[in-house]
Amino acid sequence: MKKHIAVLAGDGIGPEITDGAITVLKKIAEKYGHEFTFEPLLLGGCAIDAYGEPLPAITTERCLKSDSVLLGAVGGPKWDSLPGDRRPEKGLLGIRKAMNLYSNIRPAKLWSALADASPLKKNLVEKGIEIIVVRELTGGIYFGERGKYVDESMGETAWDTEKYSVEEIKRITKIACELAMKRSKRIISVDKANVLESSRLWRKTVHEYAEQNYPEITVTDMLVDNTAMQIVKNPAQFDVLLTSNMFGDILSDEAAQVTGSIGMLASSSLGDGTRGLYEPIHGSAPDIAGLDVANPIATILSAAMMLRDSFSLTEECDAIESAIARVLDEGYRTADIMSEGMKKVGCREMARLIAERV
Ligand code: IPM
Ligand code: MG
């Protein structure tokens, strides 16, 4: 199979972790007889430095011509004081929107070798944790109208809007339902319907759509504040967790930490076609950039998701996941998941070990 992959390494540790994923993808290509080509493109802070904008037109254009996109992370203190519409993060939101990637899947699972890395008590972890966060990615408060003004009595004031249409809610519900059908047939839909109008529409639409189209699925509603608590109280109760853009952003970080480290959590973003964008859920970690200590596993797992979800290469995806499990079982750890008696390795070495075991 021939595939052309756009690589948006981004900022901070972005280049190191995407290099790690490319090392593993090259090994897959060699072993299974595929031809993967990689095209580096600028996004985020590095694009601001080179072009004066976080998402240059050429990046969007080339991503839309690729078979799929691999992304590292964007942002850093260097660009923190720029106005909102020129920050590196704006580039990330822009490419998600330009590719119409409304469905973001973030699987938070506990790797058996990493049970000790979870901050939760053993009895909670023992039941096993696998939370599939289905996050709406191109709507809600991230893309609603916003503004700033000086109020006569209150002074400087800023506002953002959370907005969802029935169509936007239905299409992400469909994704969650399809996933749930292959799993427990249970969805927990997270909202703040006791306060927000947009959440009340969310709740109503999710139920109507699921009942009409997937009668076998049970949808349970959970308020977002309670969900934040339940994830640390009883994480085993979750399977598919469906939610909005902002709640998904917050809860996926929490789910990641509960399963050991945010350095382990991958994500896929898809729209209606097979061209997707695959990225770790963690950020650019500027404090450790260039030190070769970052954990490349979330990015390598994201590359594995690309093989499965964009290219239908299920066997190759499984091969990467098994290689990661083996490396962890053999005791290799990056700093973020290091524990006593384990063998500490850097970013490049971790990627090499995984590639070697593919
Ligand atoms: C994520 C990140 C991004 C988001 C930031 C960098 C804009 O936190 O992918 O979770 O909020 O979506
Ligand atoms: Mg986030």
Side-chain angles (χ1 to χ4, degrees):
M1 184 180 278
K2 265 191 184 173
K3 293 291 173 194
H4 186 66
I5 301 167
V7 181
L8 312 178
D11 312 312
I13 57 169
E16 302 161 52
I17 55 178
T18 45
D19 274 355
I22 290 171
T23 301
V24 176
L25 284 172
K26 282 185 175 159
K27 180 66 192 290
I28 287 281
E30 183 194 313
K31 178 159 177 205
Y32 292 85
H34 302 303
E35 197 183 310
F36 298 147
T37 46
F38 301 95
E39 179 177 358
L41 293 161
L42 298 180
L43 177 84
C46 57
I48 298 176
D49 290 348
Y51 295 91
E53 50 181 332
L55 177 57
I58 181 75
T59 295
T60 309
E61 197 180 296
R62 297 301 306 159
C63 285
L64 288 170
K65 289 212 170 94
S66 72
D67 293 309
S68 240
V69 182
L70 180 69
L71 193 147
V74 299
K78 184 175 175 194
W79 307 280
D80 269 349
S81 54
L82 289 171
D85 60 340
R86 286 200 283 125
R87 289 178 60 101
E89 291 80 1
K90 188 76 186 175
L92 177 57
L93 302 187
I95 193 69
R96 288 173 179 169
K97 191 77 169 179
M99 294 175 70
N100 193 27
L101 307 171
Y102 58 83
S103 156
N104 183 219
I105 314 284
R106 304 184 153 190
K109 80 162 190 176
L110 189 80
W111 295 75
S112 54
L114 292 185
D116 286 344
S118 172
L120 297 186
K121 289 201 184 112
K122 255 208 165 70
N123 64 323
L124 295 177
V125 174
E126 268 163 11
K127 294 190 229 164
I129 308 174
E130 189 161 1
I131 309 176
I132 314 287
V133 178
V134 179
R135 171 189 178 193
E136 198 291 326
L137 201 63
T138 51
I141 200 162
Y142 274 57
F143 293 93
E145 277 177 55
R146 70 194 69 206
K148 277 197 295 197
Y149 64 101
V150 179
D151 184 87
E152 261 174 38
S153 59
M154 306 292 281
E156 195 178 357
T157 305
W159 55 277
D160 298 273
T161 36
E162 170 86 351
K163 191 162 127 183
Y164 270 113
S165 67
V166 167
E167 282 315 306
E168 287 173 305
I169 303 167
K170 270 191 193 166
R171 64 184 185 180
I172 191 68
T173 304
K174 179 167 193 262
I175 304 282
C177 288
E178 285 293 329
L179 265 169
M181 286 304 286
K182 291 188 215 137
R183 302 175 55 88
S184 65
K185 301 200 170 78
R186 288 186 297 113
I187 294 176
I188 292 183
S189 172
V190 177
D191 61 41
K192 187 69 186 170
N194 54 348
V195 178
L196 304 178
E197 202 57 54
S198 53
S199 277
R200 286 188 279 272
L201 184 67
W202 179 278
R203 192 175 277 208
K204 176 170 163 276
T205 308
V206 169
H207 278 276
E208 280 175 7
Y209 183 84
E211 269 159 37
Q212 262 172 31
N213 300 283
Y214 299 85
E216 286 166 69
I217 291 180
T218 314
V219 179
T220 311
D221 303 304
M222 201 179 271
L223 294 171
V224 64
D225 48 352
N226 182 33
T227 308
M229 180 178 77
Q230 294 297 334
I231 288 177
V232 289
K233 194 175 168 201
N234 178 15
Q237 72 184 292
F238 294 96
D239 184 40
V240 175
L241 187 162
L242 166 64
T243 193
S244 64
N245 204 342
M246 184 157 75
F247 296 160
D249 176 46
I250 299 167
L251 296 175
S252 58
D253 269 31
E254 190 189 6
Q257 189 54 55
V258 159
T259 55
S261 167
I262 195 163
M264 297 292 298
L265 218 145
S267 85
S268 83
S269 305
L270 283 156
D272 289 325
T274 57
R275 184 188 301 111
L277 182 149
Y278 297 81
E279 54 172 322
I281 80 150
H282 60 71
S284 59
D287 52 323
I288 56 163
L291 301 180
D292 192 36
V293 297
N295 184 349
I297 296 182
T299 317
I300 295 172
L301 280 169
S302 303
M305 287 179 93
M306 172 190 291
L307 297 181
R308 188 192 60 201
D309 299 343
S310 281
F311 307 156
S312 298
L313 298 175
T314 313
E315 200 187 325
E316 288 82 339
C317 169
D318 292 347
I320 296 180
E321 289 185 356
S322 313
I324 293 172
R326 267 186 64 195
V327 167
L328 294 174
D329 287 340
E330 288 168 33
Y332 294 104
R333 301 282 188 273
T334 42
D336 58 316
I337 48 175
M338 184 62 193
S339 61
E340 224 188 295
M342 297 293 133
K343 294 170 262 191
K344 195 164 169 181
V345 295
C347 181
R348 206 173 304 128
E349 179 63 2
M350 179 56 100
R352 196 193 62 77
L353 288 165
I354 295 168
E356 197 178 74
R357 282 154 187 74
V358 154

